[in-house]
């Protein structure tokens, strides 16, 4: 039995199409015991995205961003968020989009980009699937200041940290962004020898 055999959608209602799309859906779910249960769920669709950790193995450094995130602010986060470069795909291929985002946000034009995994970050309500990448950078790859696109409301600071310092910032709570934490732990396990 596939999931298609276990879901019967009855009604989809658009709640908002302001920034992204918020819908509520009434559906029946076929439970493990074979009975059907009516459920109602909201889904927030902002499209799929990509994120990348730029790292320099020889110098043991990573490039990150610092920017304001309103949803984190209203949930009590009283600081700018430190994050890996990221963006929505906007109908582009994940590698193509992340290269453009890195150039816009970090100011670097990268060489080889390696996809490490993809996953859903908040599947209980958000439809987005993120594609995770890593790429080595060198200072000579810098082609601009970064900072994002002002017309999109971006006001991004570019940061360079040692990998050990970045991991310490995860441990003490200064880095609280899930995609960034996943990429930093991936880097610690697969890209950097213990320091």
């Amino acid at each position: 039995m596939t999931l298609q055999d276990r879901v019967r959608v009855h009604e989809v209602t658009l709640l908002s199409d302001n920034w992204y799309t918020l819908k509520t859906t009434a559906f029946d779910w076929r439970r493990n015991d074979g009975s059907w249960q009516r459920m109602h769920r909201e889904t927030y669709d902002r499209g799929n995205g990509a994120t990348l950790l730029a790292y320099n193995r020889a110098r043991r450094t990573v490039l990150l961003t610092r920017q304001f995130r309103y949803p984190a602010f209203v949930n009590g986060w009283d600081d700018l968020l430190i994050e890996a470069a990221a963006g929505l795909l906007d109908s582009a291929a994940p590698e193509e989009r992340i290269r453009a985002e890195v150039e816009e946000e970090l100011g670097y034009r990268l060489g080889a980009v390696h996809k490490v995994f993809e996953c859903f970050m908040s599947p209980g309500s958000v439809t987005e699937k993120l594609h995770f990448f890593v790429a080595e950078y060198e200072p000579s790859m810098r082609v601009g200041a970064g900072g994002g696109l002002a017309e999109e409301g971006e006001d991004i600071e570019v940061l360079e940290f040692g990998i050990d310092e970045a991991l310490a910032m995860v441990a003490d709570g200064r880095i609280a962004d899930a995609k960034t934490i996943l990429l930093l732990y991936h880097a610690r396990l697969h890209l950097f020898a213990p320091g």
Side-chain angles (χ1 to χ4, degrees):
M1 180 182 308
T2 69
L3 280 180
Q4 295 294 324
D5 299 320
R6 298 183 71 177
V7 177
R8 293 181 186 156
V9 175
H10 291 281
E11 184 179 8
V12 179
T13 305
L14 180 65
L15 300 176
S16 175
D17 193 12
N18 184 23
W19 185 248
Y20 298 112
T21 304
L22 178 63
K23 297 177 182 176
T24 185
T25 303
F27 63 94
D28 290 336
W29 168 249
R30 188 173 194 175
R31 299 175 56 83
N32 291 332
D33 66 7
S35 65
W36 289 91
Q37 180 179 12
R38 178 64 52 98
M39 301 184 134
H40 299 269
R41 294 291 184 270
E42 291 181 359
T43 55
Y44 189 59
D45 186 352
R46 57 187 307 267
N48 294 325
T51 184
L52 180 140
L53 182 67
Y55 69 97
N56 182 296
R57 194 184 320 262
R59 295 172 54 215
R60 296 183 56 79
T61 56
V62 296
L63 294 176
L64 298 172
T65 67
R66 183 174 13 229
Q67 61 186 305
F68 176 67
R69 295 296 196 182
Y70 183 74
F73 171 74
V74 298
N75 196 23
W77 187 260
D78 192 28
D79 203 350
L80 303 177
L81 276 179
I82 297 173
E83 305 176 40
L88 296 178
L89 298 184
D90 295 329
S91 302
E95 182 177 328
E96 173 189 351
R97 190 64 225 140
I98 197 57
R99 286 179 177 282
E101 285 293 333
V102 166
E103 197 164 321
E104 290 169 11
E105 293 185 6
L106 298 177
Y108 283 75
R109 186 166 298 141
L110 300 173
V113 172
H114 304 283
K115 186 171 182 180
V116 292
F117 51 83
E118 57 188 63
C119 65
F120 295 96
M121 295 299 292
S122 190
S125 59
V126 181
T127 62
E128 180 185 35
K129 179 170 53 174
L130 273 181
H131 301 263
F132 287 73
F133 293 87
V134 295
E136 289 200 68
Y137 75 93
E138 297 292 337
S140 62
M141 295 175 171
R142 188 154 205 171
V143 295
L149 301 176
E151 62 269 20
E152 292 182 4
E154 295 178 326
D155 185 17
I156 297 170
E157 181 183 358
V158 180
L159 307 170
E160 184 175 50
F161 293 110
I163 184 64
D164 296 324
E165 180 183 5
L167 290 167
M169 294 170 74
V170 171
D172 68 21
R174 287 178 288 163
I175 294 179
D177 173 65
K179 67 184 176 299
T180 305
I181 294 169
L182 287 168
L183 282 168
L184 288 170
Y185 279 118
H186 172 83
R188 177 64 188 90
L189 290 171
H190 301 287
L191 303 175
F192 293 100

